[in-house]
Amino acid sequence: MDANKRERYEKISIQLTKLMGGRENIQGVAHCATRLRIVLNDNDLADLKAVEDVDLVKGVFVAGDQVQIIFGAGLVNDVYEVFAEHNQMKNMSLSDLKTVANKKMNPLQRIIKALSDVFVDIMPGILAAALLTGLSGVLGNLEFVKANDTLFGINRLINISSGAIFGFLPLAVAYSACKRFGGRPILGIVIGCIMLSDSLANAYAAAQGTVEVTTLHIFGMGVDLVGFQGGIIVALLMGFVTAKLDGFFEKKVPEVVRLLISPLLTTLVGALLLFTVIGPVGRGLSSGITNGLVWMTQNLGIFGYGIFSGLQQLVVITGLHHIFGAIEAQLLADTGRNFINPLMSVAIIAQGGAVLAYLAMHRKNVKVRELCIPSFISVLFGITEPALFGINLRYRFPIIGGCIGGAMGGVIVYLTNLAAVGFGTTVLPGIALADPAGNGYVNYVIAHGVAIAGGFIMTLILGRFMDKTPDGAVVEKADEKTFAIQNEVSGQTETPPENGTVEEERFYGYADGQLIALEDVKDDTFSNKILGDGVAIIPAAGRVYAPTDGTVTSLFDTKHAICFTSSQGTEILIHVGVDTVNLQGQYFTAHVQDGDSVERGQLMIEFDQEQIEKAGYDTVIPMIFTDLPADKKLKLSASGNMNTETEAAVVCRV
């Protein structure tokens, strides 16, 4: 990670930790494609309104008792890495966070979240299969591909590859579900293999009556030996059952024979339940879901399509949209066509149209441009969270305009009989999944064009009546650090307060060496005061001391930086060197730990200055005031050589 970016993310982490109610209020942290997900002991201690104004944050909300902060695709990974390290939760697994969060969820929320987690884990494989299917469909319609043996052969292999992945999707679902619910993943794979065994009649062939089905009689019940090809719902149920059986037998079987007997019993009982209970129930659920969706298309027609695509993005706000993956998979398995995918896709691009409209209305606003442009780019690749939470939902009328545009796109999907041959990707990449039958690719473009235009136009119209935000209310944040360093040596002076009273907080020398202004540090992050104002010392020895009495808030794992809170509540960051995070703790020794109370002059960090400089790093030590109130100013009250006895190197004054 670039050093400048890391410093920026460190400041974000410090601010977020404080706004979440402090580290002691944070139970766990994880992230998804766009959101930093934080579980708190007490959500009431978090200042969610202030979080919206943190650098790079595009939106924040609470779902399932998780505080979810929108950063956007890619960015959230880097922010998470630094935030988790800052709060010493980097090694916390996603399952740990789920366990904590699940305790606060109601039963419905737990079910939906679990379904989401199952498909998130196997989504790379699903995307690969979907895109390969789309690619095969495109190539298969080209005459020069058909005429060329090599190209025809390659396309055939692509088709086989995509078909194989979808063909074994129930196995992948059983594996992921078993893993998600706490069982050993290999047992989920075993159950998946049983579901697709060659000893069973192929489910599709059995449905067409082209294969003979053997029937067994177990406990007086007739059990048809039919495979579970396309049985996504059955695989979900079996993954759950297998995980619970595994946990049960692991506890009940004596340790001396557990290794042999526990997996044996799990597999045996699981197989019996598969053919006698879970299989029939799962097939019934699958049939009901598919029949319900087909009924909607046949009986509600154009209205059903419009309602679905118009409201789909409201489902995204709740976090329940991941369940559509299971429905799409089952729909494909049963009918071979997925009309849900293009409906979701037009709903997504319509929200992008709303973003463009809001940008057009406030194009002179720097902050709006910073939010809207990357949010729209994310929309083009099927990710709407930055757009929804950063703009559309925040200002209300854009999301209404986007929903209307989505409904308009849904009407086109119905009229053109547009469908997909896969699932898992939408908007620009999603065109590869469009069913080419009936000019599918052209219809895909038309439907999306109508949706984005509808979202854009309706948002402009609604904005004429509903936009209550003046241009100045969403302007770029003013620099929180309104104070300035005033160096007495340079002849600059400070005008005392009119009331004649001066409240001071003094910070003494924190290292031996030469005191310099922060602007003189040879690093843009520090010299431009991205993290805040402060001072710096060119060290004469490899030791960092406490500049005043206070508490160690956070010692970074790499030991190159330490966050410190003075006894009067002022927060500072002492950073040893420039880009020294790349050393991963080498040459650094910490003498304090998180939560330690320290006194002025107490040794906190030692570092091998010679070795660090030999490695090519600048060892200057900035001290940054990360959250100084606007009514305080910093002043250098000393200059030249510094040590721990140097009085009042820096003074904070009201």
Side-chain angles (χ1 to χ4, degrees):
M1 184 188 303
D2 179 81
N4 290 341
K5 288 184 178 180
R6 186 176 183 88
E7 297 292 354
R8 189 177 187 182
Y9 301 155
E10 286 176 354
K11 181 180 180 182
I12 291 172
S13 298
I14 292 168
Q15 290 179 309
L16 287 181
T17 299
K18 181 178 180 181
L19 294 174
M20 291 298 104
R23 179 180 299 177
E24 63 279 359
N25 193 41
I26 299 175
Q27 288 191 16
V29 59
H31 74 92
C32 59
T34 58
R35 314 174 188 184
L36 186 68
R37 298 169 178 261
I38 305 173
V39 176
L40 304 178
N41 291 311
D42 186 352
N43 287 352
D44 292 336
L45 297 179
D47 188 348
L48 300 184
K49 184 65 177 177
V51 171
E52 293 182 352
D53 294 324
V54 172
D55 185 26
L56 299 179
V57 170
K58 297 178 176 65
V60 60
F61 67 103
V62 176
D65 274 328
Q66 285 184 13
V67 175
Q68 300 189 12
I69 304 173
I70 313 300
F71 283 99
L75 174 61
V76 70
N77 300 66
D78 293 337
V79 173
Y80 163 77
E81 180 180 345
V82 178
F83 182 83
E85 178 181 297
H86 177 69
N87 288 282
Q88 296 184 335
M89 295 177 179
K90 195 170 183 179
N91 294 324
M92 171 174 278
S93 67
L94 187 59
S95 61
D96 292 334
L97 180 63
K98 292 166 187 168
T99 299
V100 172
N102 284 348
K103 293 178 181 178
K104 298 183 176 183
M105 292 182 180
N106 62 47
L108 178 60
Q109 289 173 325
R110 293 182 186 180
I111 292 172
I112 299 301
K113 184 66 172 62
L115 289 176
S116 167
D117 295 337
V118 169
F119 281 90
V120 165
D121 281 350
I122 60 176
M123 189 54 70
I126 293 173
L127 284 173
L131 292 174
L132 286 173
T133 300
L135 179 60
S136 177
V138 172
L139 295 177
N141 288 319
L142 300 177
E143 291 300 326
F144 71 88
V145 173
K146 298 177 182 178
N148 185 286
D149 290 342
T150 299
L151 294 178
F152 179 82
I154 291 174
N155 187 46
R156 177 64 175 154
L157 292 177
I158 293 174
N159 183 264
I160 291 172
S161 299
S162 63
I165 298 173
F166 275 124
F168 285 90
L169 187 57
L171 187 153
V173 172
Y175 152 80
S176 186
C178 185
K179 177 182 176 183
R180 167 61 183 84
F181 292 110
R184 284 174 286 188
I186 185 60
L187 295 179
I189 292 176
V190 169
I191 290 296
C193 290
I194 295 172
M195 292 176 61
L196 303 176
S197 172
D198 289 340
S199 299
L200 303 173
N202 184 279
Y204 300 124
Q208 296 171 1
T210 59
V211 65
E212 183 178 349
V213 177
T214 302
T215 301
L216 302 179
H217 297 278
I218 300 176
F219 302 123
M221 295 185 298
V223 176
D224 294 334
L225 297 183
V226 178
F228 294 90
Q229 288 79 12
I232 309 302
I233 303 299
V234 177
L236 281 169
L237 295 173
M238 282 308 304
F240 173 80
V241 170
T242 302
K244 298 308 175 184
L245 288 173
D246 185 33
F248 175 80
F249 289 123
E250 280 291 292
K251 291 180 180 179
K252 298 300 182 181
V253 175
E255 186 175 356
V256 66
V257 293
R258 183 178 300 159
L259 181 62
L260 295 174
I261 302 301
S262 176
L264 167 66
L265 292 175
T266 297
T267 304
L268 176 60
V269 176
L272 287 172
L273 291 174
L274 169 64
F275 289 103
T276 59
V277 180
I278 305 300
V281 170
R283 283 192 172 114
L285 286 174
S286 301
S287 177
I289 292 171
T290 302
N291 291 338
L293 291 171
V294 172
W295 179 90
M296 182 187 78
T297 63
Q298 293 176 341
N299 293 273
L300 299 181
I302 194 170
F303 298 104
Y305 274 66
I307 291 171
F308 184 95
S309 58
L311 301 181
Q312 191 270 340
Q313 284 296 293
L314 300 182
V315 180
V316 173
I317 296 171
T318 69
L320 304 182
H321 58 296
H322 295 293
I323 194 174
F324 287 125
I327 297 173
E328 288 181 277
Q330 194 63 60
L331 188 63
L332 275 171
D334 291 343
T335 68
R337 299 182 87 240
N338 174 15
F339 66 87
I340 291 179
N341 179 269
L343 287 177
M344 292 195 299
S345 192
V346 295
I348 289 170
I349 196 63
Q351 294 299 326
V355 169
L356 291 180
Y358 191 82
L359 175 61
M361 296 169 64
H362 300 277
R363 55 188 175 277
K364 295 182 180 180
N365 191 308
V366 176
K367 183 64 174 179
V368 168
R369 293 201 301 269
E370 289 181 351
L371 283 173
C372 290
I373 293 174
S375 295
F376 179 72
I377 293 173
S378 293
V379 166
L380 293 178
F381 293 91
I383 299 173
T384 53
E385 282 89 346
L388 287 176
F389 297 102
I391 301 107
N392 297 0
L393 190 61
R394 178 184 292 185
Y395 304 115
R396 295 180 177 83
F397 71 91
I399 197 168
I400 299 174
C403 287
I404 296 173
M408 295 166 67
V411 169
I412 303 300
V413 172
Y414 174 81
L415 294 176
T416 59
N417 194 29
L418 182 61
V421 295
F423 73 102
T425 187
T426 51
V427 196
L428 286 184
I431 194 171
L433 305 184
D435 187 346
N439 296 317
Y441 300 125
V442 174
N443 294 333
Y444 188 93
V445 173
I446 293 173
H448 284 72
V450 169
I452 191 172
F456 182 88
I457 294 171
M458 292 307 304
T459 300
L460 287 180
I461 294 173
L462 292 171
R464 293 176 62 91
F465 308 99
M466 300 176 63
D467 187 8
K468 305 298 183 182
T469 306
D471 286 338
V474 200
V475 296
E476 185 175 17
K477 287 185 294 185
D479 185 358
E480 295 176 359
K481 309 301 183 244
T482 57
F483 53 85
I485 292 182
Q486 299 177 331
N487 194 325
E488 291 180 339
V489 176
S490 67
Q492 293 175 297
T493 59
E494 180 178 331
T495 303
E498 294 181 0
N499 59 13
T501 61
V502 177
E503 294 182 7
E504 296 184 345
E505 182 177 6
R506 295 175 175 266
F507 294 82
Y508 296 80
Y510 58 94
D512 298 330
Q514 175 69 38
L515 182 69
I516 63 173
L518 194 63
E519 293 91 337
D520 296 331
V521 174
K522 298 175 182 178
D523 179 81
D524 290 341
T525 301
F526 294 118
S527 62
N528 292 331
K529 303 177 184 178
I530 293 175
L531 298 177
D533 212 338
V535 295
I537 291 178
I538 300 174
R543 289 181 293 275
V544 175
Y545 304 92
T548 186
D549 296 344
T551 303
V552 176
T553 307
S554 175
L555 175 68
F556 286 75
D557 292 342
T558 49
K559 303 180 181 65
H560 77 292
I562 188 169
C563 296
F564 181 88
T565 303
S566 73
S567 57
Q568 296 188 36
T570 301
E571 299 177 2
I572 62 173
L573 168 68
I574 299 177
H575 195 286
V576 181
V578 176
D579 294 342
T580 48
V581 64
N582 298 326
L583 294 171
Q584 295 296 309
Q586 188 178 15
Y587 309 131
F588 290 91
T589 302
H591 293 276
V592 293
Q593 57 185 359
D594 291 357
D596 282 358
S597 296
V598 296
E599 298 179 352
R600 176 171 70 88
Q602 182 175 332
L603 179 63
M604 297 195 295
I605 297 175
E606 277 190 287
F607 58 96
D608 192 327
Q609 184 176 357
E610 181 180 357
Q611 292 298 324
I612 293 175
E613 290 175 347
K614 283 184 178 179
Y617 295 94
D618 187 344
T619 55
V620 66
I621 310 174
M623 181 171 73
I624 310 298
F625 291 77
T626 59
D627 195 28
L628 199 66
D631 59 354
K632 284 193 175 183
K633 294 184 178 181
L634 293 185
K635 180 180 178 182
L636 297 184
S637 296
S639 60
N641 293 328
M642 300 291 300
N643 56 53
T644 57
E645 300 303 320
T646 303
E647 289 193 13
V650 185
V651 177
C652 294
R653 290 185 176 179
V654 176

